[in-house]
PDB file of all heavy atoms in Angstrom:
ATOM      1  N   GLY A 451      43.930   8.058  45.104  1.00 76.00           N
ATOM      2  CA  GLY A 451      42.704   8.377  44.394  1.00 76.00           C
ATOM      3  C   GLY A 451      42.881   8.374  42.829  1.00 76.00           C
ATOM      4  O   GLY A 451      42.082   7.697  42.151  1.00 76.00           O
ATOM      5  N   ARG A 452      43.955   9.001  42.372  1.00 74.00           N
ATOM      6  CA  ARG A 452      44.099   9.134  40.977  1.00 74.00           C
ATOM      7  C   ARG A 452      44.499   7.702  40.370  1.00 74.00           C
ATOM      8  O   ARG A 452      44.093   7.470  39.230  1.00 74.00           O
ATOM      9  CB  ARG A 452      45.190  10.243  40.500  1.00 74.00           C
ATOM     10  CG  ARG A 452      46.455  10.019  41.022  1.00 74.00           C
ATOM     11  CD  ARG A 452      47.423   9.212  40.061  1.00 74.00           C
ATOM     12  NE  ARG A 452      48.770   8.951  40.568  1.00 74.00           N
ATOM     13  CZ  ARG A 452      49.506   8.032  40.215  1.00 74.00           C
ATOM     14  NH1 ARG A 452      49.174   7.155  39.389  1.00 74.00           N
ATOM     15  NH2 ARG A 452      50.744   7.917  40.791  1.00 74.00           N
ATOM     16  N   TYR A 453      45.261   6.929  41.079  1.00 76.00           N
ATOM     17  CA  TYR A 453      45.624   5.581  40.596  1.00 76.00           C
ATOM     18  C   TYR A 453      44.438   4.735  40.424  1.00 76.00           C
ATOM     19  O   TYR A 453      44.276   4.085  39.451  1.00 76.00           O
ATOM     20  CB  TYR A 453      46.702   4.955  41.499  1.00 76.00           C
ATOM     21  CG  TYR A 453      47.118   3.607  40.950  1.00 76.00           C
ATOM     22  CD1 TYR A 453      48.052   3.446  39.993  1.00 76.00           C
ATOM     23  CD2 TYR A 453      46.380   2.408  41.490  1.00 76.00           C
ATOM     24  CE1 TYR A 453      48.327   2.256  39.459  1.00 76.00           C
ATOM     25  CE2 TYR A 453      46.778   1.287  40.920  1.00 76.00           C
ATOM     26  CZ  TYR A 453      47.728   1.186  39.855  1.00 76.00           C
ATOM     27  OH  TYR A 453      48.019  -0.039  39.375  1.00 76.00           O
ATOM     28  N   ILE A 454      43.569   4.753  41.508  1.00 79.00           N
ATOM     29  CA  ILE A 454      42.293   3.929  41.491  1.00 79.00           C
ATOM     30  C   ILE A 454      41.474   4.323  40.302  1.00 79.00           C
ATOM     31  O   ILE A 454      40.796   3.436  39.530  1.00 79.00           O
ATOM     32  CB  ILE A 454      41.652   4.037  42.816  1.00 79.00           C
ATOM     33  CG1 ILE A 454      42.389   3.299  43.859  1.00 79.00           C
ATOM     34  CG2 ILE A 454      40.140   3.389  42.710  1.00 79.00           C
ATOM     35  CD1 ILE A 454      41.800   3.568  45.234  1.00 79.00           C
ATOM     36  N   ILE A 455      41.338   5.662  40.003  1.00 78.00           N
ATOM     37  CA  ILE A 455      40.558   6.104  38.912  1.00 78.00           C
ATOM     38  C   ILE A 455      41.211   5.633  37.620  1.00 78.00           C
ATOM     39  O   ILE A 455      40.590   5.131  36.676  1.00 78.00           O
ATOM     40  CB  ILE A 455      40.514   7.708  38.926  1.00 78.00           C
ATOM     41  CG1 ILE A 455      39.612   8.120  40.157  1.00 78.00           C
ATOM     42  CG2 ILE A 455      39.929   8.215  37.627  1.00 78.00           C
ATOM     43  CD1 ILE A 455      39.641   9.642  40.272  1.00 78.00           C
ATOM     44  N   MET A 456      42.510   5.861  37.463  1.00 78.00           N
ATOM     45  CA  MET A 456      43.216   5.593  36.189  1.00 78.00           C
ATOM     46  C   MET A 456      43.162   4.149  35.814  1.00 78.00           C
ATOM     47  O   MET A 456      42.791   3.796  34.717  1.00 78.00           O
ATOM     48  CB  MET A 456      44.688   6.047  36.364  1.00 78.00           C
ATOM     49  CG  MET A 456      45.519   5.784  35.065  1.00 78.00           C
ATOM     50  SD  MET A 456      47.144   6.655  35.321  1.00 78.00           S
ATOM     51  CE  MET A 456      47.894   5.610  36.668  1.00 78.00           C
ATOM     52  N   LYS A 457      43.531   3.182  36.792  1.00 79.00           N
ATOM     53  CA  LYS A 457      43.782   1.776  36.505  1.00 79.00           C
ATOM     54  C   LYS A 457      42.323   1.208  36.581  1.00 79.00           C
ATOM     55  O   LYS A 457      42.029   0.158  35.916  1.00 79.00           O
ATOM     56  CB  LYS A 457      44.627   1.130  37.381  1.00 79.00           C
ATOM     57  CG  LYS A 457      46.131   1.637  37.182  1.00 79.00           C
ATOM     58  CD  LYS A 457      46.613   1.371  35.773  1.00 79.00           C
ATOM     59  CE  LYS A 457      48.029   1.827  35.564  1.00 79.00           C
ATOM     60  NZ  LYS A 457      48.391   1.650  34.087  1.00 79.00           N
ATOM     61  N   GLY A 458      41.552   1.594  37.421  1.00 82.00           N
ATOM     62  CA  GLY A 458      40.173   1.081  37.690  1.00 82.00           C
ATOM     63  C   GLY A 458      39.299   1.181  36.415  1.00 82.00           C
ATOM     64  O   GLY A 458      38.702   0.208  35.911  1.00 82.00           O
ATOM     65  N   LEU A 459      39.405   2.413  35.833  1.00 84.00           N
ATOM     66  CA  LEU A 459      38.649   2.658  34.587  1.00 84.00           C
ATOM     67  C   LEU A 459      39.056   1.719  33.527  1.00 84.00           C
ATOM     68  O   LEU A 459      38.323   1.180  32.655  1.00 84.00           O
ATOM     69  CB  LEU A 459      38.652   4.193  34.223  1.00 84.00           C
ATOM     70  CG  LEU A 459      37.935   4.610  33.033  1.00 84.00           C
ATOM     71  CD1 LEU A 459      36.401   4.259  33.138  1.00 84.00           C
ATOM     72  CD2 LEU A 459      38.226   6.090  32.751  1.00 84.00           C
ATOM     73  N   ALA A 460      40.452   1.712  33.291  1.00 85.00           N
ATOM     74  CA  ALA A 460      41.011   0.926  32.283  1.00 85.00           C
ATOM     75  C   ALA A 460      40.682  -0.500  32.385  1.00 85.00           C
ATOM     76  O   ALA A 460      40.399  -1.285  31.430  1.00 85.00           O
ATOM     77  CB  ALA A 460      42.573   1.119  32.180  1.00 85.00           C
ATOM     78  N   THR A 461      40.636  -1.029  33.644  1.00 85.00           N
ATOM     79  CA  THR A 461      40.376  -2.418  33.949  1.00 85.00           C
ATOM     80  C   THR A 461      38.968  -2.788  33.599  1.00 85.00           C
ATOM     81  O   THR A 461      38.638  -3.777  32.901  1.00 85.00           O
ATOM     82  CB  THR A 461      40.622  -2.742  35.414  1.00 85.00           C
ATOM     83  OG1 THR A 461      42.068  -2.564  35.708  1.00 85.00           O
ATOM     84  CG2 THR A 461      40.293  -4.206  35.684  1.00 85.00           C
ATOM     85  N   VAL A 462      38.003  -1.965  34.062  1.00 88.00           N
ATOM     86  CA  VAL A 462      36.583  -2.127  33.690  1.00 88.00           C
ATOM     87  C   VAL A 462      36.377  -2.226  32.266  1.00 88.00           C
ATOM     88  O   VAL A 462      35.646  -3.098  31.740  1.00 88.00           O
ATOM     89  CB  VAL A 462      35.649  -1.138  34.420  1.00 88.00           C
ATOM     90  CG1 VAL A 462      34.234  -1.176  33.903  1.00 88.00           C
ATOM     91  CG2 VAL A 462      35.764  -1.287  35.888  1.00 88.00           C
ATOM     92  N   LEU A 463      36.872  -1.227  31.479  1.00 88.00           N
ATOM     93  CA  LEU A 463      36.737  -1.170  30.052  1.00 88.00           C
ATOM     94  C   LEU A 463      37.338  -2.366  29.399  1.00 88.00           C
ATOM     95  O   LEU A 463      36.904  -2.764  28.270  1.00 88.00           O
ATOM     96  CB  LEU A 463      37.262   0.128  29.511  1.00 88.00           C
ATOM     97  CG  LEU A 463      36.558   1.457  30.004  1.00 88.00           C
ATOM     98  CD1 LEU A 463      37.146   2.723  29.414  1.00 88.00           C
ATOM     99  CD2 LEU A 463      35.083   1.396  29.383  1.00 88.00           C
ATOM    100  N   THR A 464      38.488  -2.788  29.908  1.00 88.00           N
ATOM    101  CA  THR A 464      39.035  -3.980  29.343  1.00 88.00           C
ATOM    102  C   THR A 464      38.120  -5.266  29.330  1.00 88.00           C
ATOM    103  O   THR A 464      37.982  -5.935  28.276  1.00 88.00           O
ATOM    104  CB  THR A 464      40.444  -4.405  30.081  1.00 88.00           C
ATOM    105  OG1 THR A 464      41.297  -3.322  29.849  1.00 88.00           O
ATOM    106  CG2 THR A 464      41.018  -5.607  29.504  1.00 88.00           C
TER     107      THR A 464
END
Side-chain angles (χ1 to χ4, degrees):
R452 65 87 183 157
Y453 180 84
I454 292 174
I455 291 172
M456 179 173 66
K457 295 301 181 183
L459 180 60
T461 299
V462 171
L463 291 176
T464 297

